[in-house]
Amino acid sequence: MDFIRLAAVFTAIQFVRYILFAGFTYIVFWKLKNNFTEKNRIQKNNFAKKDLRREFLYSVSNCFIFGFILAISFYDRQIDIFNLKMTASYLESIGWIIFLILFHDTYFYWMHKTLHHPKMFNWTHKVHHLSKNPSPFAALSFHPLEGVLEVIWIIPISRIFPIEMGAWAIFGFIIIGINVLGHLGVEIYPGSWTKNKFLKYLNTSTNHNDHHNYYHGNYSLYFSAWDRWMGTFRK
Ligand SMILES: [Zn+2]
Ligand SMILES: [Zn+2]
């Protein structure tokens, strides 16, 4: 497969993954409104139509950027690109997925915090923060430059480490799930988890929603550990 075709295939996968997760959660939590949403919604006001449209259009444009970067990352491995069958043991595969999550969590925290620097914010991250009350469609709503920064780390990591496509694919679904969860607008975790010694480190939807609402603090993605260690955690 030539490079352009590979980029097109990755773009299509990104788009389907985004529509499935953002569309499904939007319909379940916000279209078929239910008591759970009403009881656990984070902000009182509803999503504005213009915000939904902007979030969708920026997210779709980022599917192209992600597709292009993924094609660069995996072009050399195209023989096995759609072979998701894992030859490594379960333990090794799970180990690689945990590695990807921890690496990405660290990368994301520092990249995100850097983009909040006044000299960076206006020409990169401002687009994502146009959503003060984000919907699930904001999951990939980034300025194109930020879109590149969101995934550029995959180029070196995919070349340095022998991670199988199956593990990358599972990671790809975890990350879109985490992104949509952060922008869900509804808190689905029980309140008691925030008091648990271990579970309190899971980033909640409220954590990221507060980040959109107040701009500062809660920069992390999967876990709140970096925020807690660096004193940027909003209580
Ligand atoms: Zn931010
Ligand atoms: Zn966000």
Side-chain angles (χ1 to χ4, degrees), residues 190-214:
S192 60
W193 286 17
T194 56
K195 292 180 190 83
N196 183 284
K197 219 159 65 170
F198 302 106
L199 294 175
K200 72 176 183 182
Y201 285 100
L202 284 178
N203 243 345
T204 63
S205 195
T206 309
N207 283 351
H208 192 69
N209 192 286
D210 278 2
H211 175 70
H212 277 266
N213 206 2
Y214 301 105

Side-chain angles (χ1 to χ4, degrees), residues 48-231:
K49 270 208 173 106
K50 70 172 178 37
D51 285 338
L52 289 170
R53 199 178 312 126
R54 186 194 61 252
E55 289 167 354
F56 179 77
L57 290 176
Y58 270 110
S59 292
V60 171
S61 67
N62 275 303
C63 290
F64 286 91
I65 291 170
F66 290 7
F68 184 76
I69 302 274
L70 288 172
I72 295 173
S73 305
F74 296 107
Y75 183 60
D76 297 343
R77 291 171 58 172
Q78 59 176 296
I79 296 160
D80 67 345
I81 203 122
F82 296 115
N83 180 9
L84 301 182
K85 196 165 172 260
M86 292 193 252
T87 54
S89 66
Y90 280 124
L91 205 63
E92 191 185 339
S93 301
I94 291 168
W96 281 121
I97 294 166
I98 292 171
F99 164 77
L100 287 175
I101 289 172
L102 295 180
F103 180 89
H104 188 211
D105 194 48
T106 303
Y107 171 84
F108 182 87
Y109 176 84
W110 291 103
M111 179 209 68
H112 187 189
K113 202 158 178 276
T114 307
L115 294 188
H116 271 265
H117 189 281
K119 283 194 173 145
M120 301 284 289
F121 188 81
N122 278 344
W123 52 281
T124 53
H125 196 45
K126 190 180 174 185
V127 165
H128 189 63
H129 276 275
L130 291 174
S131 309
K132 214 158 182 284
N133 180 26
S135 82
F137 289 110
L140 307 179
S141 175
F142 310 115
H143 184 283
L145 267 179
E146 183 179 350
V148 171
L149 291 174
E150 290 281 339
V151 291
I152 195 96
W153 63 274
I154 297 175
I155 298 177
I157 294 298
S158 63
R159 280 153 191 270
I160 296 169
F161 299 102
I163 306 172
E164 294 186 289
M165 290 311 296
W168 278 106
I170 293 171
F171 170 73
F173 281 102
I174 293 172
I175 181 55
I176 190 71
I178 293 286
N179 259 330
V180 166
L181 176 79
H183 301 99
L184 192 58
V186 181
E187 185 50 67
I188 59 169
Y189 293 161
S192 60
W193 286 17
T194 56
K195 292 180 190 83
N196 183 284
K197 219 159 65 170
F198 302 106
L199 294 175
K200 72 176 183 182
Y201 285 100
L202 284 178
N203 243 345
T204 63
S205 195
T206 309
N207 283 351
H208 192 69
N209 192 286
D210 278 2
H211 175 70
H212 277 266
N213 206 2
Y214 301 105
Y215 285 98
H216 296 295
N218 293 0
Y219 300 104
S220 48
L221 183 59
Y222 303 79
F223 309 109
S224 59
W226 275 110
D227 274 312
R228 290 174 193 271
W229 294 334
M230 302 312 293

